[in-house]
Amino acid sequence: IINNYVEGTLGGVRDKASPSGLHFRDSKRKVDYVLAYHYRRHRARHEPGAASPELRRGSASTALVSNGGTGKGHAEPQQQQDHGQRALREWPGLPGLEVVELSPPDALEEERRLQREEYERNLLEAGLEIEKDPENKSQGLSFVRIHAPWQVLSREAELLKIKMPTKKMYEITEEKGILKTLNEIWCKLTEPLQPQVPQQENTKMKTLSYPFSREKIYLYNIKDRDTFFDNATRSRIVREILKRTSTKARNSMGIGTLIANNVYDAAYPLHDGEYEGPNDDMNERKLLYQEWARYGVFYKFQPIDLIRKYFGEKIGLYFAWLGLYTEFLIPSSLVGIIVFLYGCITIESDIPSREMCDQRNAFTMCPLCDKFCDYWNLSSACATARASHLFDNPATVFFSIFMALWATMFLEQWKRLQMRLSYFWDLTGLEEEEEHPRPEYENKLLQKKLKNKNITTENSNEFCHVCYFVCVFCLQNEKEKLTWNDHMPGYAANFGLILFMIMLTFSAVFGVIVYRITTAAALSFSTDETTRANVRVTVTATAVIINLVVVLILDEIYGAVAKWLTEIEIPKTEKTFEERLILKAFLLKFVNSYASIFYVAFFKGRFVGRPGRYVYMFEGYRMEECAPGGCLMELCIQLSIIMLGKQLIQNNLFEIGIPKLKKLLRKLKDERTVLKERDTNQSKDPQQWDLDYILEPFTGLTPEYMEMIIQFGFVTLFVASFPLAPAFALLNNIIEVRLDAKKFVTELRRPDTVREKDIGIWYNILSVIGKLSVIINAFVIAITSDFIPRLMYQYAYSQNGTMHGFINHTLSYFNVSQLKAGTQPENSLFAQEVSFCRFKDYREPPWSPHQYEFSKQYWAVLSARLAFVILFQNLVMFLSVLVDWMIPDIPKDISEQIKKEKTVLVDFFLKEEHEKLKLIESFISRDKRKRRNGTKSKRTRAASFSQCQRSPKGSFTSFSSQHTVV
């Protein structure tokens, strides 16, 4: 049914017919899906007096009536005029109706209009019902509203094997003993934190679900056909029909191709109404906004079941994962804060820091730069040494082991929660649905087919048209696919550009390194004493801020580049496209986010050289060194600023600002179009499809997962250098959950529901990061921190088993007379004559036969560092495997419930079939009695009943066959 109505242009009628904006004009049939498109026509110019008002009124109404037609043909001009005048007579009381004369559209617009008409006819043939707006202006926005009747819903639900609730309910086995008591106590304690959403009346019972079947319709609990399939399921069914309905024109294989070709602008399901306002009617969207998508309810748990019902399983799993991740950050944050407080408490008792700050220990250090830098006392770096102890203390080793086990526990717990949700959401046994090929893949396949058929543009139009449809028919009936050779250009471009992007990231890091070296040298030339004293702080702070800006800019570029690279690969299905996009985006953003951190952790200060033989860059600038307290403090600063900067600017400001800006621009654009030709009689109250069109389209969960995965890397990979990372991540995620919730409820169009039983490739990425974190933290503790040198000194070199003398042990001597000419300090203001200066390294003294070569202590410490890496890695890996083995992936109660559900399902079917068999037998026995009575009657009235005996209506065969059909 297509409702092409002229009354859509009349004020007030539209709102009276559909006050909620969620139904057709009859206020009965739901709007399950909406197609939006812009149309454009050229106004025909008429000279004054060229036509009478009556004629102009008639032709205008003809345009209004015919615009919404199905395109099956065109009436003669006179018939159109009479039809238009008759249409106006059918709508009395329209004085002053403004009539717009419309001329035929241009060629491109005409082609799009024909494609729309053909596509909508095909939707009608598929059983859908359509309601359209008339195109009564020279240009504007129009909507096609789609409704799926019961016959279509039941047919498609059976094809898609959608699980629906049956009449059978069974009891869920509860936990017993101490676990039940603890669960009850937990429920009582967390009752104020529960969202106020409708819950199942009896939580001890679960409805048995089974894939929908029209033959077994008597099994299902169908109280009302209009509400048996919820809105999310209805829109999912309609979307499947839209995706597989094709048109002959330009080989448009589904709605995706039509949107790509600008035939339609958008296709989306409707939200359930407004989320706020004077309307008191409660809907699921408003309930989600009040109990989930507001910052005022940040302390409450998420209504995961309602989220899944409204947005689908895929989005429900994302928010369930995000909620579990945020909950797991609570214990890690507490332990990280305790480790930090331990560093604060023990800072006064740390012997190496006290020795470095003691001015009586006159450690005269070698100049930090050539010619312009003077000798300096190690005690001047007291503040840096004390700050380093906050993060470089024995507790950080324990925290690194704890975080490695924490990551394993988190992944194991997620697998258990995922299995629990799969059971309650009826996702167990979910089969992989056959995906439709992407429009780009189909177009490439068509081009290949046309090329193989040697169809050229020199052929006649008629021949091309016939051959084109022959090729389209062949594509739809032959299982042909693109080969490796077809994908090779895309793969080559991917390899080259990804390599280029990684080199670009390294170049950006190198540029920041050059900035640090040159700026440090330039500030060292300053005559201001304060500037020279704060060179290291100034360079570090400005370099980190520059690096953050570069990371943010490259992140946005890499996101767009990864999408483009995936598109030129021409993946066949959306799932393949998404997985490849995720891998590319993650690789590029991972390198971008962590390249500078890796440099500070493992490379800075390793290639400096020694006094008298420094390593130079550009023949005049020395490679930068670590601070006297080590590079761990600088690594902490680098990590904290990049992490906090990305969370504050990219994850929050961008997520809030960009969708609002796009929504504003789209609204202003549509308002300008409407203001050009405003219908004074049209209702000013927008309908739900108008409001939803202004919203930002949903583009997938990849950005949401990506920012959390990168954050997970910050929390686990370098946690030994920044124990407060989990605490900052927790604070960010408390806001992030509500921010994402508000975006989904208020800023985005309603996404199509997608059934997924897991989070897909993201779990594999998390697992890789968890294993990589063990290795990286082992190297951070062993190489970047002073944990191993301190341990070696205390147990191998200290005379009394304490840390006294550790600073002197780590400093080597250098004879200043051996400095190269031109590198000695000019006009040294040092108070005393300097013969030897000290530098941090394990080297032989100048009075040794092997002067300035690596000492035995160096090799001993290096061996201990490598041994620690091997020991730490194997120990933590063993503990992780042990935790993985001890925690089963499927909870025991869920495993039992799944087995019980299968048994209940079999018993339910056997019982129903048994009752059906008894019903058949009762009908058969009754039919036999009728036949027996009929035989007695035949003997007395054989002549009159001889003809009736041949009638099939009362026969046993006829009756039993009718019952079998039922």
Side-chain angles (χ1 to χ4, degrees), residues 705-724:
Y705 272 115
M706 188 65 69
E707 64 185 66
M708 288 295 104
I709 297 296
I710 295 296
Q711 184 201 84
F712 183 78
F714 283 122
V715 169
T716 56
L717 292 179
F718 294 92
V719 73
S721 64
F722 188 41
L724 294 179

Side-chain angles (χ1 to χ4, degrees), residues 22-47:
L22 300 174
H23 294 80
F24 278 14
R25 287 184 51 78
D26 56 13
S27 297
K28 296 179 180 178
R29 290 171 291 171
K30 289 183 179 179
V31 177
D32 297 320
Y33 223 87
V34 173
L35 306 179
Y37 64 91
H38 279 90
Y39 63 89
R40 177 169 52 86
R41 293 176 179 273
H42 297 289
R43 289 178 182 268
R45 297 184 179 180
H46 292 268
E47 297 296 331

Side-chain angles (χ1 to χ4, degrees), residues 692-754:
D692 287 3
Y693 179 78
I694 299 173
L695 301 178
E696 182 74 10
F698 175 70
T699 56
L701 288 171
T702 300
E704 318 300 332
Y705 272 115
M706 188 65 69
E707 64 185 66
M708 288 295 104
I709 297 296
I710 295 296
Q711 184 201 84
F712 183 78
F714 283 122
V715 169
T716 56
L717 292 179
F718 294 92
V719 73
S721 64
F722 188 41
L724 294 179
F728 285 110
L730 175 62
L731 294 176
N732 174 79
N733 285 11
I734 291 174
I735 301 172
E736 180 71 21
V737 171
R738 307 302 162 178
L739 178 63
D740 284 348
K742 188 172 183 180
K743 183 172 69 173
F744 273 85
V745 174
T746 66
E747 302 292 340
L748 297 179
R749 294 175 190 159
R750 187 172 185 173
D752 294 303
T753 57
V754 179

Side-chain angles (χ1 to χ4, degrees), residues 425-459:
W425 292 354
D426 297 319
L427 298 175
T428 53
L430 181 66
E431 299 177 359
E432 291 287 339
E433 298 179 2
E434 184 179 356
E435 288 193 72
H436 301 283
R438 299 177 65 248
E440 294 80 2
Y441 183 88
E442 295 287 0
N443 288 336
K444 183 71 175 180
L445 197 59
L446 177 65
Q447 293 174 10
K448 179 182 177 182
K449 191 72 178 179
L450 293 174
K451 185 177 180 181
N452 293 339
K453 293 289 184 179
N454 294 322
I455 299 178
T456 59
T457 56
E458 284 81 7
N459 300 117

Side-chain angles (χ1 to χ4, degrees), residues 96-156:
L97 175 66
E98 183 180 353
V99 177
V100 181
E101 269 191 307
L102 303 177
S103 62
D106 57 14
L108 180 61
E109 188 65 29
E110 176 68 14
E111 182 183 359
R112 291 173 180 170
R113 185 183 66 81
L114 292 175
Q115 287 188 67
R116 285 194 293 267
E117 291 179 354
E118 182 189 356
Y119 185 70
E120 290 157 14
R121 284 199 303 272
N122 293 339
L123 293 180
L124 292 175
E125 293 175 1
L128 298 176
E129 299 176 3
I130 294 176
E131 182 179 75
K132 293 185 64 175
D133 289 337
E135 300 174 5
N136 58 342
K137 299 176 183 178
S138 63
Q139 62 178 353
L141 178 66
S142 187
F143 296 94
V144 178
R145 295 172 289 280
I146 301 173
H147 168 78
W150 170 260
Q151 293 82 359
V152 175
L153 293 173
S154 58
R155 180 192 72 208
E156 296 297 323

Side-chain angles (χ1 to χ4, degrees), residues 111 114-115 118 247-252 258 261 468-469:
E111 182 183 359
L114 292 175
Q115 287 188 67
E118 182 189 356
T247 60
K248 295 179 181 179
R250 300 182 67 179
N251 190 30
S252 299
L258 293 174
N261 294 334
Y468 178 86
F469 289 117

